[in-house]
């Protein structure tokens, strides 16, 4: 089984208040091309220690662990198999200590085939490690070779991850249930590690929450970030650079649209706690446009890569989701969940539907409020706003185009939860000759029952 390393990026993003409108006469300090180039050089500079740390990080993420201190790879007998049937196991072990599978109470089960004493083909590994139960969808495509992992569920932590590789891309789509002051929330974290570029691309959001971030992580742990709100009453976005603690530094572009009036503000953050309105050179605006395009292209390529995982799940479902879905070595309701509509994500169905419905109601109310404010305006005010908008467009054509391009992609951002939910297979489809049959599975009396139609 693969190393259970979950990349967690804790993002704390604060909305920047609009402190005055963009002035068409460019009264704010003009930032030179030389100044932005100097900042970019410092921001992207990587030293040798950071390169080594990045290599360790990427090797751990991609499973190439044999050069990492404390790494252990071996083959372990599946506890539920009477015949010899070994599965791949890897972990990090502190000096003088035993790996987790050798400790009492821990085990590995395998529900797939065995050939010549080793796991073979597609199946799931069920591991109990220090009281935590996990399932790993694995494809043992070659004898005595580590498998490809496509799907991981940790039932105790309530995390679900789809993953796939198409070198140089390593894609992961992860769902994490968080509980805090706001109650239960389902975070959706999507990442694409591009080994050829030595860059990590991410898209992070929470189902039902009006904020989604996209980012490009550099080997020095600095990032370029694009943050968007999907609430029509506070539809802002900003493009900026952040430190490894997500403190905003350097140069930012903030686009705010309250449904009536649009503002575009260019900012300089000499420190995370200071900001000054400035006028940026077109070259820096162009740089951020290129960064945004690179983020989007890599995230799109990662979505294509993840289709491998969804295809593997469908292949596995076709094998196990027939009639009564149960096994002797674990709870049948847990084992058969992968066969239900929405699969393992079905445990979040109520949470997701409630969060999305509440979000929709809030958006509908916001639109009503926007319409009310427009009707309450004096007749002359809309003309003034329109004139101001024309004036704003004259500030910098490249800046306006940049903001327009951000708005064009806002629909995809606002549909983030729907896209990721619909990415995984909702129905098992079997093909026989020229006909297709659908398999419908339901949970009845703690056992998943499947039938064709």
């Amino acid at each position: 089984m693969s190393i259970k390393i979950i990349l967690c990026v804790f993002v704390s993003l604060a909305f920047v208040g609009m402190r005055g409108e963009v002035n068409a006469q460019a009264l704010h300090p003009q930032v030179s091309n030389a100044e932005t180039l100097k900042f970019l050089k410092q921001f992207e500079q990587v030293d040798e220690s950071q390169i080594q740390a990045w290599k360790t990080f990427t090797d751990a993420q991609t499973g190439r662990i044999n050069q990492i201190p404390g790494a252990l790879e071996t083959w372990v007998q599946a506890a539920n198999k009477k015949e010899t049937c070994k599965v791949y196991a890897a972990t990090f072990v502190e000096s003088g200590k035993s790996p987790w599978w050798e400790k009492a109470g821990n085990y590995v089960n395998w529900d797939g085939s065995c050939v010549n004493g080793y796991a073979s083909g597609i199946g799931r590994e069920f591991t109990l490690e220090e009281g935590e139960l996990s399932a790993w969808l694995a494809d043992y495509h070659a004898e005595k070779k580590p498998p490809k992992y496509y799907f991981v569920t940790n039932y105790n932590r309530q995390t679900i991850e789809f993953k796939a590789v198409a070198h140089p891309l390593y894609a992961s789509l992860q769902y994490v249930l968080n509980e805090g002051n706001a109650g239960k929330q389902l975070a959706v974290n999507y990442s694409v590690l591009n080994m050829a570029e030595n860059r990590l691309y991410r898209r992070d959001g929470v189902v039902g929450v009006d904020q989604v971030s996209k980012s490009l992580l550099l080997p020095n742990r600095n990032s370029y970030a694009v943050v968007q709100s999907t609430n029509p009453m506070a539809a802002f976005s900003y493009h900026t650079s952040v430190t490894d603690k997500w403190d905003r530094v350097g140069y930012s572009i903030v686009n705010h649209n309250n449904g009536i009036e649009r503002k575009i503000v260019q900012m300089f953050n000499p420190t995370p706690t200071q900001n000054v309105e400035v006028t940026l050179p077109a070259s820096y605006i162009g740089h951020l446009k290129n960064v945004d395009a690179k983020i989007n292209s890599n995230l799109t390529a990662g979505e294509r890569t993840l289709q491998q995982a969804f295809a593997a799940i469908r292949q596995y479902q076709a094998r196990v989701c027939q009639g009564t879905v149960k096994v002797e070595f674990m709870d049948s309701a847990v084992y058969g969940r992968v066969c239900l509509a929405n699969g393992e994500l079905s445990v979040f169905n109520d949470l997701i539907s409630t969060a999305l419905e509440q979000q929709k109601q809030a958006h509908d109310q916001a639109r009503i409020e926007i319409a009310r404010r427009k009707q309450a305006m004096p007749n002359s005010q809309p003309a003034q706003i329109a004139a101001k908008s024309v004036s704003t467009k004259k500030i910098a054509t490249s800046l306006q185009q940049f903001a327009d391009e951000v708005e064009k992609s806002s629909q995809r951002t606002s549909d983030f939860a729907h896209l990721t939910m619909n990415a995984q297979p909702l129905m098992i489809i079997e093909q026989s000759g020229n006909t297709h049959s659908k398999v419908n599975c339901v949970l009845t009396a703690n056992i998943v029952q499947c039938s064709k139609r």
Side-chain angles (χ1 to χ4, degrees), residues 199-245:
R199 299 288 187 268
L200 178 71
Y201 300 88
R202 290 182 61 87
R203 184 172 63 204
D204 301 276
V206 175
V207 176
V209 174
D210 290 327
Q211 186 164 286
V212 175
S213 69
K214 300 184 299 182
S215 60
L216 182 164
L217 177 67
L218 302 166
N220 60 11
R221 298 289 178 157
N222 289 338
S223 297
Y224 291 104
V226 183
V227 180
Q228 291 180 285
S229 167
T230 57
N231 189 315
M233 281 290 286
F236 73 91
S237 68
Y238 63 79
H239 291 236
T240 187
S241 43
V242 295
T243 67
D244 59 344
K245 297 180 180 179

Side-chain angles (χ1 to χ4, degrees), residues 10 50 69 108 113 118 130 136 157 170 184 218 230 232-233 244 254 266 280 309 322 356 408 417 422 435:
F10 296 96
Q50 291 168 330
V108 182
S113 301
Y118 290 87
E130 308 300 341
W136 307 71
R157 300 184 187 184
Y170 294 77
K184 292 184 178 181
L218 302 166
T230 57
M233 281 290 286
D244 59 344
V254 183
Q266 303 165 78
L280 294 170
Q322 302 178 30
L356 292 180
K408 287 179 183 178
N422 294 333
T435 62

Side-chain angles (χ1 to χ4, degrees), residues 6-227:
I6 298 176
L7 171 66
C8 294
V9 178
F10 296 96
V11 182
S12 176
L13 302 168
F15 171 66
V16 178
M18 299 295 104
R19 302 177 308 139
E21 300 170 3
V22 176
N23 191 311
Q25 303 302 315
L27 299 178
H28 304 305
Q30 176 75 47
V31 178
S32 69
N33 183 54
E35 289 175 290
T36 57
L37 287 176
K38 180 181 178 181
F39 164 74
L40 291 175
K41 183 178 180 180
Q42 294 174 338
F43 188 75
E44 296 188 2
Q45 185 173 0
V46 181
D47 61 33
E48 186 60 33
S49 64
Q50 291 168 330
I51 292 174
Q52 291 303 314
W54 178 262
K55 184 179 184 304
T56 300
F57 163 74
T58 56
D59 284 353
Q61 294 301 309
T62 59
R64 296 186 289 191
I65 68 167
N66 53 351
Q67 300 299 320
I68 302 176
L72 173 64
E73 297 176 278
T74 189
W75 293 83
V76 177
Q77 171 65 27
N80 64 310
K81 297 289 187 180
K82 294 181 180 179
E83 74 274 27
T84 301
C85 187
K86 294 184 177 181
V87 296
Y88 174 77
T91 190
F92 294 101
V93 183
E94 295 181 26
S95 179
K97 294 188 177 181
S98 301
W100 63 266
W101 53 79
E102 292 182 0
K103 297 178 182 178
N106 296 338
Y107 61 76
V108 182
N109 290 326
W110 166 246
D111 76 347
S113 301
C114 304
V115 176
N116 297 328
Y118 290 87
S120 178
I122 287 228
R124 274 192 295 173
E125 301 169 1
F126 294 89
T127 64
L128 187 67
E129 179 183 351
E130 308 300 341
E132 291 191 0
L133 178 65
S134 298
W136 307 71
L137 180 64
D139 181 8
Y140 284 89
H141 52 286
E143 188 173 319
K144 296 183 66 174
K145 297 290 185 181
K148 295 179 180 179
Y149 291 97
Y150 293 110
F151 187 44
V152 184
T153 303
N154 184 300
Y155 296 101
N156 296 82
R157 300 184 187 184
Q158 298 196 71
T159 63
I160 296 171
E161 179 185 16
F162 301 89
K163 54 202 290 186
V165 178
H167 194 75
L169 301 183
Y170 294 77
S172 167
L173 174 59
Q174 186 183 85
Y175 296 79
V176 181
L177 182 65
N178 296 320
E179 297 188 50
N181 294 333
K184 292 184 178 181
Q185 293 184 321
L186 186 63
V188 187
N189 308 318
Y190 169 48
S191 65
V192 180
L193 177 62
N194 189 322
M195 295 293 288
E197 297 180 357
N198 276 326
R199 299 288 187 268
L200 178 71
Y201 300 88
R202 290 182 61 87
R203 184 172 63 204
D204 301 276
V206 175
V207 176
V209 174
D210 290 327
Q211 186 164 286
V212 175
S213 69
K214 300 184 299 182
S215 60
L216 182 164
L217 177 67
L218 302 166
N220 60 11
R221 298 289 178 157
N222 289 338
S223 297
Y224 291 104
V226 183
V227 180

Side-chain angles (χ1 to χ4, degrees), residues 377-385:
M377 286 181 179
N379 292 333
S380 61
Q381 203 162 352
Q384 293 173 355
I385 292 172

Side-chain angles (χ1 to χ4, degrees), residues 159-361:
T159 63
I160 296 171
E161 179 185 16
F162 301 89
K163 54 202 290 186
V165 178
H167 194 75
L169 301 183
Y170 294 77
S172 167
L173 174 59
Q174 186 183 85
Y175 296 79
V176 181
L177 182 65
N178 296 320
E179 297 188 50
N181 294 333
K184 292 184 178 181
Q185 293 184 321
L186 186 63
V188 187
N189 308 318
Y190 169 48
S191 65
V192 180
L193 177 62
N194 189 322
M195 295 293 288
E197 297 180 357
N198 276 326
R199 299 288 187 268
L200 178 71
Y201 300 88
R202 290 182 61 87
R203 184 172 63 204
D204 301 276
V206 175
V207 176
V209 174
D210 290 327
Q211 186 164 286
V212 175
S213 69
K214 300 184 299 182
S215 60
L216 182 164
L217 177 67
L218 302 166
N220 60 11
R221 298 289 178 157
N222 289 338
S223 297
Y224 291 104
V226 183
V227 180
Q228 291 180 285
S229 167
T230 57
N231 189 315
M233 281 290 286
F236 73 91
S237 68
Y238 63 79
H239 291 236
T240 187
S241 43
V242 295
T243 67
D244 59 344
K245 297 180 180 179
W246 273 73
D247 290 328
R248 294 172 60 182
V249 296
Y251 304 100
S252 306
I253 297 176
V254 183
N255 179 33
H256 181 73
N257 189 340
N258 61 11
I260 298 176
E261 185 176 4
R262 181 176 181 180
K263 301 177 184 178
I264 304 173
V265 182
Q266 303 165 78
M267 309 290 294
F268 172 55
N269 296 74
T271 70
T273 58
Q274 294 176 285
N275 56 69
V276 181
E277 291 186 30
V278 297
T279 301
L280 294 170
S283 60
Y284 188 77
I285 298 169
H287 174 73
L288 289 188
K289 288 173 66 175
N290 291 336
V291 168
D292 189 46
K294 182 171 286 189
I295 293 173
N296 290 335
S297 64
N298 275 271
L299 292 179
T300 299
E303 290 173 1
R304 292 193 296 267
T305 299
L306 280 173
Q307 293 304 314
Q308 297 178 48
F310 308 140
I313 293 171
R314 288 192 292 270
Q315 182 180 345
Y316 176 76
Q317 289 173 322
R319 178 169 71 81
V320 303
C321 302
Q322 302 178 30
T324 300
V325 183
K326 61 183 297 187
V327 290
E328 299 299 328
F329 55 82
M330 68 177 297
D331 181 86
S332 295
V334 176
Y335 177 80
R337 189 184 299 166
V338 71
C339 298
L340 300 175
N342 289 333
E344 296 283 13
L345 287 169
S346 60
V347 295
F348 301 132
N349 283 349
D350 291 343
L351 174 64
I352 291 171
S353 61
T354 299
L356 292 180
E357 178 59 29
Q358 290 175 345
Q359 185 182 44
K360 179 181 180 301
Q361 291 176 3

